[in-house]
Amino acid sequence: MEDRFDIGSFDETGATSAPADFGYLDGLNDGQRAAVEALDGPVLVLAGAGTGKTRVLISRLAHILNLRNVRPWEILAVTFTNKAAAEMQERTANIIGPQAVEIKLGTFHSIGVWLLRRHAELIGIDRNFTILDTDDQLRLLKQIMTEEGIDQKRWPPRGLAAIIDRWKDKGLRADQVQGANSSDFAHGKAAALYALYQERLSAQNACDFGDLLLHVLTLFQRNPDILSLYQNRFKYILVDEYQDTNVAQYLLLRLLAQTHRNICCVGDDDQSIYGWRGAEVGNILKFEDDFPGARVIRLERNYRSTSHILGAASGLIAHNESRLGKTLFTEGNDGELVVLNGLWDGQNEARWIADEIENMQRKGKSLQDMAILVRASFQTRDFEECFLSMGIKYRVIGGLRFYERREIRDVLAYLRVINQPEDDLAFERIYNLPKRGLGEKALEKLREVGRAENLSLSRAAKLAVEKGLFKGKPLAALKDLMTCFDDWRAQKDLIPPDELVEAVLEDSGYFEMWRQDKSLEAEGKRENLKELIPAVGEYESLAQFLEHVSLVMENNADNSSDMVSLMTLHSAKGLEYDVVFLPGWEEGLFPHQRALDENGLKALEEERRLAYVGITRAKERCYISHASNRRIHGQWQSSLPSRFIDELPREHIADQSEQGLYNTTRRSEGFSHTSWRNPDSSHLAEVLDNRARANEKLIDNSTKPVVKAADEDGLAVGSRIFHQKFGYGRIVRKDGPKLEIAFEKAGVKKVMENFVQAA
């Protein structure tokens, strides 16, 4: 039996003997009070943005303890982050006193650890098992792949780790992976590698984070008596952020709730934005099917935003079909209309936003009350550069500033050694990156040569090559590296600096390293590397660029609290600001083209939910902007405004675009701008028809995939194809309608055959 704190006296029924205090009900609106008082049976609380869900959860915990025959440790409350769990426990203690610490309250993973520490031997490990972090997990996978003769350059361990994590998120053990859930990683060997990995974990008495829930599911499925113990114990279950649950979390909750059925899930289907990491919006959508007789309570009164902001957000999200439906309202004032502006390019967009920030700052608005929310991390660079030049202080939340990111710092190290061969710190960073077989022993040998000859590491390496101080592969690797540096230095003053960066990325093999990486973060790193190229191209010389970066890094050291917040939309969930800027609302960027290509209509709806989350972060003012032209990864692209702009209700929008909303100008490769103010524009109908056809195709591709024979459309392995976004390429692998294509400029991508055509 677990240790318990002394929480005071209980009567024979187990209820607290203290008199009930219902002060926590004061001030609740009708919806909130209904959610607090609906104690028995399954309840789904659809809590819209800014509707006070945390207060509802805490008040509900207090109400259960006051009115029901239940001890604190017979309540299970689950949330997603340690921070949220700590806040909930603290606020609950303020209402009900010290007995709050006895509520079993924590994250899914902490609950999983708690259960496994008590019953680990039933799944073949000891109770003192070790929990591996990501680095340990990768190290173990590398060992297994080496033993199995898997080419880790072609099939990176990070890719395998991501596949295994997805299987565990779905509640699938190695023996359950088959059919649609299988993977073509390492020519179909992923499932076998998964099994070997689990055997090795068990032998080392270890678990990874995915196991913390997967093992609990296995424990319960194989030991009905243990499951019954916890089903009987937890008379009430509360779940926060239910829309973010994955399959394994969903299965665990369903198992535990079967006996008493007093489960209350709080969430917002309109804010389910983490499908890329395993969250299943279907969990919340099918709650009434999973728990017949469930009561659904909607929290729609918003305490955060103005009427116009809520109207814009509600009108947009209403276009999603996969939702339970609710409409946010406020009893506050209408506030300012949501501002929409179309700019010529991304730099003009950044400058316009910076000017708006300065104007509001002059009127007394603090920088810390403003935020810029972008769809893709590479968008931050234009703002960082603009803010630096204008002296606007900013912070990046949920990620590093552009020049602080690992991949950018790696390339900067190459550039520093090219520009200054005496830079030993930079040389140490990249002499074996990507891996060249030059380990710590080789570095120490170079240090010895440098000390003996009074040379920098870079010059010592050149001397070591000339005198043959290394043998075999290390000598060849070092010789190739120093030859590259000689070539780059020779080109440094002859070609533009952006072309030099391209040469470094390709010649060094650094970009190829990330191209081969199959992990979730690799795509973002490749995008950042491509974004670095035009950043360097804005300067006349490499030295000038490196001096600029030094100034940027010095500016980053400012720890002032009054700064504009800059982050991705995904990082912004749960936050709020007086003023929110939403740049980059363009087709291909938002909604993101890669997401649409891979998941069709399902992805489109998640992208729209992401837009909804962005708008509802704003309390007083919201700005939405798009650019007719944007330089993405070094290439200028003409852009069509996002379809989401079409879906914003006109009565809540103020257009500041030079041509007005939905004015249309024809370009050689499509339309660059659209507007509402000229509904009779000669091109408007054509634009809308094109969008309608695109949406119909998207829906068709999502719900009725068409698999064509290779001789019907020419889409056989080796065929040359064209993709609207990625351009020309050749099919290297085909699995039904799923194609793996090596594109000439975009690298290897996986797309559905419906989105390509024979070239």
Side-chain angles (χ1 to χ4, degrees), residues 21-28 32-33 35-37 39 52-67 88 91-92 95-96 238:
D21 177 6
F22 295 162
Y24 51 80
L25 296 177
D26 296 341
L28 295 178
Q32 291 173 330
R33 185 152 187 155
V36 169
E37 294 180 336
L39 296 184
K53 72 177 178 67
T54 303
R55 183 180 180 185
V56 167
L57 279 167
I58 293 165
S59 300
R60 185 180 172 86
L61 283 171
H63 213 51
I64 291 171
L65 288 170
N66 270 329
L67 296 186
M88 191 180 299
R91 290 177 61 176
T92 304
I95 296 177
I96 66 176
L238 286 81

Side-chain angles (χ1 to χ4, degrees), residues 346-347 349-351 353-354 357 371-389 392-405 407-408 524 527-529 531-532 534-535 538 548 552 555-556 564-572 581-584 589 630-633:
Q347 291 179 326
E349 179 183 53
R351 183 57 188 251
I353 290 176
I357 289 172
I372 301 170
L373 313 181
V374 299
R375 175 59 182 88
S377 60
F378 75 83
Q379 291 175 259
T380 66
R381 191 187 68 81
D382 279 340
F383 292 101
E384 292 189 58
E385 300 281 3
C386 182
F387 290 170
L388 178 65
S389 67
I392 297 175
K393 297 180 179 180
Y394 70 95
R395 64 168 61 87
V396 177
I397 294 180
L400 297 171
R401 299 178 187 233
F402 184 77
Y403 292 113
E404 292 175 340
R405 292 164 184 160
E407 62 279 11
I408 301 302
E527 288 182 350
N528 290 334
L529 290 171
E531 185 64 20
L532 177 64
E538 295 174 7
H548 165 75
V552 171
N555 181 69
N556 290 352
V564 177
S565 294
L566 183 57
M567 73 194 84
T568 65
L569 284 158
H570 284 100
S571 299
F581 295 91
L582 301 170
L589 179 55
R630 189 175 296 277
R631 194 170 187 176
I632 300 179
H633 313 323

Side-chain angles (χ1 to χ4, degrees), residues 163 166-167 170 172 174 176-185 187-192 194 733 735 738 750:
I163 292 169
R166 284 198 295 271
W167 282 332
K170 293 179 180 180
L172 297 173
Q176 296 173 313
V177 175
Q178 55 187 348
N181 289 310
S182 61
S183 168
D184 59 1
F185 183 91
H187 304 297
K189 296 179 181 178
Y194 178 18
R733 187 178 179 84
D735 180 11
K738 300 177 182 178
K750 291 183 179 180

Side-chain angles (χ1 to χ4, degrees), residues 288-301:
E288 292 177 275
D289 295 330
D290 292 334
F291 298 98
R295 183 175 178 184
V296 178
I297 299 171
R298 289 168 169 80
L299 303 185
E300 298 175 304
R301 181 180 174 184

